[in-house]
Amino acid sequence: QGRTQMKHYPEATSEALRDGGLLVHAEMIEGDPAAAIVSRAENELLVEMIVMTTHGRRGPDPLAIGSVTEQVRHTSPVHLLLVHPAESMGSLRRFYERAYHTILVPLDGSELAEQALAPAQLLAAANARAVAVAGAKDCKGANLLLLSVTPSPTLAQVAGEPIGSMNILWPEGTNTRVASEVEQLRHYLCETAKSVAATGIPVEIQITHGDPAE
């Protein structure tokens, strides 16, 4: 009986979406959930995004290790939109319609982290155009905040600063090696920010300490 209900579930769920004017294709696939989802995204050219819910957990790791969402997150070949299960449709709609103020881009100097920079720039640029078209006088579009996190507990937090104005004040007794590493990080952020600013997008840089995810 449970299997029969599951077979009817996709079609029954899609009916409500069709009533809202959407074109919906319903399908049920048997097999490992994460593997099937990723495989479908890889082999179907029309799939450009996967939308899934998280488990709603709070803290630095809201995704359960070993969960379907976690597995898909690591192997998805397309964009992945994660929605908190408590999110209301009203707030989600505002998410897509709002004018952004700041887009946070965490960077650690690796090429992997830098892959998020180009999409963030596109989003900021698109947001600026949308704001200009809407004629919003109280919003000038989004700026990027490039953030790097160091594990050093002796580093005082430096707030978001425009390019070139970041001066780090070292507490007494700061390790020389740590100071050198953070200075290299500051230089990296400044150079990265300059390339972003050259495209006309406002950008700030920030270095803080602690757990990166938190």
PDB file of all heavy atoms in Angstrom, residues 186-213:
ATOM      1  N   ARG A 186      45.700  39.560   3.655  1.00  0.00           N
ATOM      2  CA  ARG A 186      45.213  40.918   3.397  1.00  0.00           C
ATOM      3  C   ARG A 186      45.583  41.356   1.980  1.00  0.00           C
ATOM      4  O   ARG A 186      44.766  41.922   1.252  1.00  0.00           O
ATOM      5  CB  ARG A 186      45.805  41.899   4.411  1.00  0.00           C
ATOM      6  CG  ARG A 186      45.256  43.330   4.280  1.00  0.00           C
ATOM      7  CD  ARG A 186      46.188  44.331   4.938  1.00  0.00           C
ATOM      8  NE  ARG A 186      47.451  44.425   4.216  1.00  0.00           N
ATOM      9  CZ  ARG A 186      47.613  45.157   3.111  1.00  0.00           C
ATOM     10  NH1 ARG A 186      46.608  45.831   2.589  1.00  0.00           N
ATOM     11  NH2 ARG A 186      48.784  45.189   2.501  1.00  0.00           N
ATOM     12  N   HIS A 187      46.816  41.063   1.585  1.00  0.00           N
ATOM     13  CA  HIS A 187      47.267  41.430   0.247  1.00  0.00           C
ATOM     14  C   HIS A 187      46.446  40.689  -0.812  1.00  0.00           C
ATOM     15  O   HIS A 187      46.048  41.276  -1.835  1.00  0.00           O
ATOM     16  CB  HIS A 187      48.754  41.082   0.087  1.00  0.00           C
ATOM     17  CG  HIS A 187      49.301  41.372  -1.275  1.00  0.00           C
ATOM     18  ND1 HIS A 187      49.551  42.652  -1.727  1.00  0.00           N
ATOM     19  CD2 HIS A 187      49.624  40.528  -2.304  1.00  0.00           C
ATOM     20  CE1 HIS A 187      50.012  42.598  -2.972  1.00  0.00           C
ATOM     21  NE2 HIS A 187      50.062  41.324  -3.333  1.00  0.00           N
ATOM     22  N   TYR A 188      46.176  39.413  -0.561  1.00  0.00           N
ATOM     23  CA  TYR A 188      45.380  38.606  -1.490  1.00  0.00           C
ATOM     24  C   TYR A 188      43.979  39.185  -1.647  1.00  0.00           C
ATOM     25  O   TYR A 188      43.462  39.316  -2.770  1.00  0.00           O
ATOM     26  CB  TYR A 188      45.320  37.164  -0.989  1.00  0.00           C
ATOM     27  CG  TYR A 188      44.213  36.337  -1.596  1.00  0.00           C
ATOM     28  CD1 TYR A 188      44.290  35.904  -2.921  1.00  0.00           C
ATOM     29  CD2 TYR A 188      43.094  35.993  -0.840  1.00  0.00           C
ATOM     30  CE1 TYR A 188      43.265  35.147  -3.481  1.00  0.00           C
ATOM     31  CE2 TYR A 188      42.071  35.239  -1.390  1.00  0.00           C
ATOM     32  CZ  TYR A 188      42.156  34.820  -2.709  1.00  0.00           C
ATOM     33  OH  TYR A 188      41.135  34.074  -3.248  1.00  0.00           O
ATOM     34  N   LEU A 189      43.353  39.548  -0.541  1.00  0.00           N
ATOM     35  CA  LEU A 189      42.006  40.111  -0.593  1.00  0.00           C
ATOM     36  C   LEU A 189      41.993  41.443  -1.334  1.00  0.00           C
ATOM     37  O   LEU A 189      41.086  41.715  -2.120  1.00  0.00           O
ATOM     38  CB  LEU A 189      41.442  40.291   0.820  1.00  0.00           C
ATOM     39  CG  LEU A 189      41.011  39.029   1.563  1.00  0.00           C
ATOM     40  CD1 LEU A 189      40.480  39.400   2.946  1.00  0.00           C
ATOM     41  CD2 LEU A 189      39.937  38.272   0.783  1.00  0.00           C
ATOM     42  N   CYS A 190      42.997  42.274  -1.072  1.00  0.00           N
ATOM     43  CA  CYS A 190      43.071  43.582  -1.727  1.00  0.00           C
ATOM     44  C   CYS A 190      43.208  43.424  -3.239  1.00  0.00           C
ATOM     45  O   CYS A 190      42.542  44.121  -4.012  1.00  0.00           O
ATOM     46  CB  CYS A 190      44.238  44.398  -1.174  1.00  0.00           C
ATOM     47  SG  CYS A 190      43.948  45.088   0.469  1.00  0.00           S
ATOM     48  N   GLU A 191      44.078  42.525  -3.680  1.00  0.00           N
ATOM     49  CA  GLU A 191      44.275  42.317  -5.111  1.00  0.00           C
ATOM     50  C   GLU A 191      43.015  41.751  -5.759  1.00  0.00           C
ATOM     51  O   GLU A 191      42.640  42.143  -6.875  1.00  0.00           O
ATOM     52  CB  GLU A 191      45.460  41.372  -5.350  1.00  0.00           C
ATOM     53  CG  GLU A 191      46.812  41.962  -4.974  1.00  0.00           C
ATOM     54  CD  GLU A 191      47.093  43.245  -5.745  1.00  0.00           C
ATOM     55  OE1 GLU A 191      46.958  43.224  -6.994  1.00  0.00           O
ATOM     56  OE2 GLU A 191      47.421  44.266  -5.110  1.00  0.00           O
ATOM     57  N   THR A 192      42.360  40.819  -5.065  1.00  0.00           N
ATOM     58  CA  THR A 192      41.115  40.246  -5.594  1.00  0.00           C
ATOM     59  C   THR A 192      40.034  41.304  -5.673  1.00  0.00           C
ATOM     60  O   THR A 192      39.286  41.388  -6.653  1.00  0.00           O
ATOM     61  CB  THR A 192      40.636  39.083  -4.700  1.00  0.00           C
ATOM     62  OG1 THR A 192      41.675  38.107  -4.579  1.00  0.00           O
ATOM     63  CG2 THR A 192      39.401  38.421  -5.297  1.00  0.00           C
ATOM     64  N   ALA A 193      39.972  42.151  -4.645  1.00  0.00           N
ATOM     65  CA  ALA A 193      38.961  43.208  -4.610  1.00  0.00           C
ATOM     66  C   ALA A 193      39.178  44.219  -5.729  1.00  0.00           C
ATOM     67  O   ALA A 193      38.221  44.741  -6.301  1.00  0.00           O
ATOM     68  CB  ALA A 193      38.985  43.908  -3.254  1.00  0.00           C
ATOM     69  N   LYS A 194      40.420  44.495  -6.050  1.00  0.00           N
ATOM     70  CA  LYS A 194      40.708  45.448  -7.123  1.00  0.00           C
ATOM     71  C   LYS A 194      40.173  44.949  -8.461  1.00  0.00           C
ATOM     72  O   LYS A 194      39.644  45.732  -9.261  1.00  0.00           O
ATOM     73  CB  LYS A 194      42.210  45.694  -7.218  1.00  0.00           C
ATOM     74  CG  LYS A 194      42.779  46.527  -6.076  1.00  0.00           C
ATOM     75  CD  LYS A 194      44.293  46.683  -6.217  1.00  0.00           C
ATOM     76  CE  LYS A 194      44.865  47.486  -5.048  1.00  0.00           C
ATOM     77  NZ  LYS A 194      46.346  47.607  -5.144  1.00  0.00           N
ATOM     78  N   SER A 195      40.311  43.639  -8.711  1.00  0.00           N
ATOM     79  CA  SER A 195      39.806  43.091  -9.970  1.00  0.00           C
ATOM     80  C   SER A 195      38.287  43.158 -10.027  1.00  0.00           C
ATOM     81  O   SER A 195      37.701  43.349 -11.093  1.00  0.00           O
ATOM     82  CB  SER A 195      40.283  41.646 -10.141  1.00  0.00           C
ATOM     83  OG  SER A 195      39.721  40.802  -9.150  1.00  0.00           O
ATOM     84  N   VAL A 196      37.639  42.999  -8.856  1.00  0.00           N
ATOM     85  CA  VAL A 196      36.185  43.105  -8.804  1.00  0.00           C
ATOM     86  C   VAL A 196      35.757  44.556  -9.011  1.00  0.00           C
ATOM     87  O   VAL A 196      34.829  44.851  -9.778  1.00  0.00           O
ATOM     88  CB  VAL A 196      35.644  42.578  -7.460  1.00  0.00           C
ATOM     89  CG1 VAL A 196      34.143  42.838  -7.342  1.00  0.00           C
ATOM     90  CG2 VAL A 196      35.928  41.090  -7.309  1.00  0.00           C
ATOM     91  N   ALA A 197      36.437  45.475  -8.331  1.00  0.00           N
ATOM     92  CA  ALA A 197      36.101  46.892  -8.436  1.00  0.00           C
ATOM     93  C   ALA A 197      36.266  47.411  -9.854  1.00  0.00           C
ATOM     94  O   ALA A 197      35.564  48.339 -10.275  1.00  0.00           O
ATOM     95  CB  ALA A 197      36.966  47.698  -7.476  1.00  0.00           C
ATOM     96  N   ALA A 198      37.181  46.814 -10.621  1.00  0.00           N
ATOM     97  CA  ALA A 198      37.415  47.240 -11.998  1.00  0.00           C
ATOM     98  C   ALA A 198      36.197  47.000 -12.880  1.00  0.00           C
ATOM     99  O   ALA A 198      36.062  47.614 -13.932  1.00  0.00           O
ATOM    100  CB  ALA A 198      38.629  46.510 -12.573  1.00  0.00           C
ATOM    101  N   THR A 199      35.290  46.106 -12.444  1.00  0.00           N
ATOM    102  CA  THR A 199      34.070  45.833 -13.206  1.00  0.00           C
ATOM    103  C   THR A 199      32.940  46.771 -12.816  1.00  0.00           C
ATOM    104  O   THR A 199      31.836  46.674 -13.349  1.00  0.00           O
ATOM    105  CB  THR A 199      33.616  44.382 -12.988  1.00  0.00           C
ATOM    106  OG1 THR A 199      33.222  44.191 -11.619  1.00  0.00           O
ATOM    107  CG2 THR A 199      34.739  43.407 -13.323  1.00  0.00           C
ATOM    108  N   GLY A 200      33.205  47.663 -11.853  1.00  0.00           N
ATOM    109  CA  GLY A 200      32.198  48.626 -11.434  1.00  0.00           C
ATOM    110  C   GLY A 200      31.354  48.189 -10.261  1.00  0.00           C
ATOM    111  O   GLY A 200      30.407  48.886  -9.879  1.00  0.00           O
ATOM    112  N   ILE A 201      31.677  47.045  -9.661  1.00  0.00           N
ATOM    113  CA  ILE A 201      30.914  46.546  -8.514  1.00  0.00           C
ATOM    114  C   ILE A 201      31.569  47.015  -7.216  1.00  0.00           C
ATOM    115  O   ILE A 201      32.764  46.775  -7.015  1.00  0.00           O
ATOM    116  CB  ILE A 201      30.849  45.003  -8.535  1.00  0.00           C
ATOM    117  CG1 ILE A 201      30.141  44.526  -9.801  1.00  0.00           C
ATOM    118  CG2 ILE A 201      30.134  44.469  -7.290  1.00  0.00           C
ATOM    119  CD1 ILE A 201      30.143  43.019  -9.962  1.00  0.00           C
ATOM    120  N   PRO A 202      30.840  47.670  -6.326  1.00  0.00           N
ATOM    121  CA  PRO A 202      31.402  48.071  -5.033  1.00  0.00           C
ATOM    122  C   PRO A 202      31.842  46.840  -4.250  1.00  0.00           C
ATOM    123  O   PRO A 202      31.142  45.824  -4.227  1.00  0.00           O
ATOM    124  CB  PRO A 202      30.231  48.783  -4.335  1.00  0.00           C
ATOM    125  CG  PRO A 202      29.305  49.176  -5.441  1.00  0.00           C
ATOM    126  CD  PRO A 202      29.431  48.099  -6.472  1.00  0.00           C
ATOM    127  N   VAL A 203      33.003  46.924  -3.613  1.00  0.00           N
ATOM    128  CA  VAL A 203      33.527  45.758  -2.910  1.00  0.00           C
ATOM    129  C   VAL A 203      34.241  46.186  -1.633  1.00  0.00           C
ATOM    130  O   VAL A 203      34.880  47.238  -1.584  1.00  0.00           O
ATOM    131  CB  VAL A 203      34.489  44.956  -3.826  1.00  0.00           C
ATOM    132  CG1 VAL A 203      35.637  45.823  -4.303  1.00  0.00           C
ATOM    133  CG2 VAL A 203      35.016  43.713  -3.144  1.00  0.00           C
ATOM    134  N   GLU A 204      34.102  45.369  -0.591  1.00  0.00           N
ATOM    135  CA  GLU A 204      34.800  45.574   0.672  1.00  0.00           C
ATOM    136  C   GLU A 204      35.508  44.278   1.035  1.00  0.00           C
ATOM    137  O   GLU A 204      35.172  43.207   0.523  1.00  0.00           O
ATOM    138  CB  GLU A 204      33.832  45.972   1.789  1.00  0.00           C
ATOM    139  CG  GLU A 204      33.146  47.306   1.564  1.00  0.00           C
ATOM    140  CD  GLU A 204      32.193  47.637   2.701  1.00  0.00           C
ATOM    141  OE1 GLU A 204      31.882  46.712   3.494  1.00  0.00           O
ATOM    142  OE2 GLU A 204      31.754  48.787   2.796  1.00  0.00           O
ATOM    143  N   ILE A 205      36.491  44.376   1.922  1.00  0.00           N
ATOM    144  CA  ILE A 205      37.210  43.180   2.368  1.00  0.00           C
ATOM    145  C   ILE A 205      37.162  43.112   3.892  1.00  0.00           C
ATOM    146  O   ILE A 205      37.064  44.140   4.571  1.00  0.00           O
ATOM    147  CB  ILE A 205      38.670  43.174   1.892  1.00  0.00           C
ATOM    148  CG1 ILE A 205      39.414  44.418   2.380  1.00  0.00           C
ATOM    149  CG2 ILE A 205      38.734  43.073   0.376  1.00  0.00           C
ATOM    150  CD1 ILE A 205      40.883  44.453   1.966  1.00  0.00           C
ATOM    151  N   GLN A 206      37.217  41.898   4.399  1.00  0.00           N
ATOM    152  CA  GLN A 206      37.172  41.695   5.849  1.00  0.00           C
ATOM    153  C   GLN A 206      37.961  40.455   6.224  1.00  0.00           C
ATOM    154  O   GLN A 206      37.899  39.426   5.542  1.00  0.00           O
ATOM    155  CB  GLN A 206      35.722  41.561   6.331  1.00  0.00           C
ATOM    156  CG  GLN A 206      35.604  41.323   7.829  1.00  0.00           C
ATOM    157  CD  GLN A 206      34.157  41.320   8.291  1.00  0.00           C
ATOM    158  OE1 GLN A 206      33.292  41.887   7.639  1.00  0.00           O
ATOM    159  NE2 GLN A 206      33.894  40.668   9.404  1.00  0.00           N
ATOM    160  N   ILE A 207      38.723  40.560   7.302  1.00  0.00           N
ATOM    161  CA  ILE A 207      39.426  39.411   7.881  1.00  0.00           C
ATOM    162  C   ILE A 207      38.966  39.269   9.313  1.00  0.00           C
ATOM    163  O   ILE A 207      38.903  40.234  10.062  1.00  0.00           O
ATOM    164  CB  ILE A 207      40.960  39.609   7.865  1.00  0.00           C
ATOM    165  CG1 ILE A 207      41.465  39.771   6.425  1.00  0.00           C
ATOM    166  CG2 ILE A 207      41.645  38.426   8.514  1.00  0.00           C
ATOM    167  CD1 ILE A 207      42.951  40.057   6.334  1.00  0.00           C
ATOM    168  N   THR A 208      38.609  38.051   9.692  1.00  0.00           N
ATOM    169  CA  THR A 208      38.198  37.794  11.063  1.00  0.00           C
ATOM    170  C   THR A 208      38.813  36.471  11.507  1.00  0.00           C
ATOM    171  O   THR A 208      39.489  35.809  10.726  1.00  0.00           O
ATOM    172  CB  THR A 208      36.666  37.782  11.194  1.00  0.00           C
ATOM    173  OG1 THR A 208      36.302  37.704  12.573  1.00  0.00           O
ATOM    174  CG2 THR A 208      36.078  36.598  10.451  1.00  0.00           C
ATOM    175  N   HIS A 209      38.602  36.074  12.736  1.00  0.00           N
ATOM    176  CA  HIS A 209      39.147  34.810  13.219  1.00  0.00           C
ATOM    177  C   HIS A 209      38.043  33.949  13.792  1.00  0.00           C
ATOM    178  O   HIS A 209      36.957  34.427  14.126  1.00  0.00           O
ATOM    179  CB  HIS A 209      40.228  35.056  14.285  1.00  0.00           C
ATOM    180  CG  HIS A 209      39.678  35.564  15.580  1.00  0.00           C
ATOM    181  ND1 HIS A 209      39.180  34.728  16.548  1.00  0.00           N
ATOM    182  CD2 HIS A 209      39.531  36.818  16.067  1.00  0.00           C
ATOM    183  CE1 HIS A 209      38.753  35.445  17.574  1.00  0.00           C
ATOM    184  NE2 HIS A 209      38.958  36.717  17.313  1.00  0.00           N
ATOM    185  N   GLY A 210      38.316  32.658  13.872  1.00  0.00           N
ATOM    186  CA  GLY A 210      37.347  31.731  14.428  1.00  0.00           C
ATOM    187  C   GLY A 210      37.073  30.581  13.488  1.00  0.00           C
ATOM    188  O   GLY A 210      37.817  30.320  12.551  1.00  0.00           O
ATOM    189  N   ASP A 211      35.951  29.877  13.738  1.00  0.00           N
ATOM    190  CA  ASP A 211      35.546  28.758  12.895  1.00  0.00           C
ATOM    191  C   ASP A 211      34.976  29.311  11.592  1.00  0.00           C
ATOM    192  O   ASP A 211      34.028  30.112  11.621  1.00  0.00           O
ATOM    193  CB  ASP A 211      34.496  27.912  13.600  1.00  0.00           C
ATOM    194  CG  ASP A 211      34.013  26.770  12.730  1.00  0.00           C
ATOM    195  OD1 ASP A 211      34.742  25.776  12.607  1.00  0.00           O
ATOM    196  OD2 ASP A 211      32.910  26.886  12.156  1.00  0.00           O
ATOM    197  N   PRO A 212      35.505  28.925  10.431  1.00  0.00           N
ATOM    198  CA  PRO A 212      35.042  29.487   9.159  1.00  0.00           C
ATOM    199  C   PRO A 212      33.533  29.351   8.934  1.00  0.00           C
ATOM    200  O   PRO A 212      32.891  30.306   8.502  1.00  0.00           O
ATOM    201  CB  PRO A 212      35.832  28.684   8.119  1.00  0.00           C
ATOM    202  CG  PRO A 212      37.087  28.297   8.833  1.00  0.00           C
ATOM    203  CD  PRO A 212      36.657  27.999  10.237  1.00  0.00           C
ATOM    204  N   ALA A 213      32.964  28.191   9.189  1.00  0.00           N
ATOM    205  CA  ALA A 213      31.543  27.996   8.944  1.00  0.00           C
ATOM    206  C   ALA A 213      30.687  28.897   9.838  1.00  0.00           C
ATOM    207  O   ALA A 213      29.715  29.505   9.398  1.00  0.00           O
ATOM    208  CB  ALA A 213      31.163  26.534   9.164  1.00  0.00           C
TER     209      ALA A 213
END
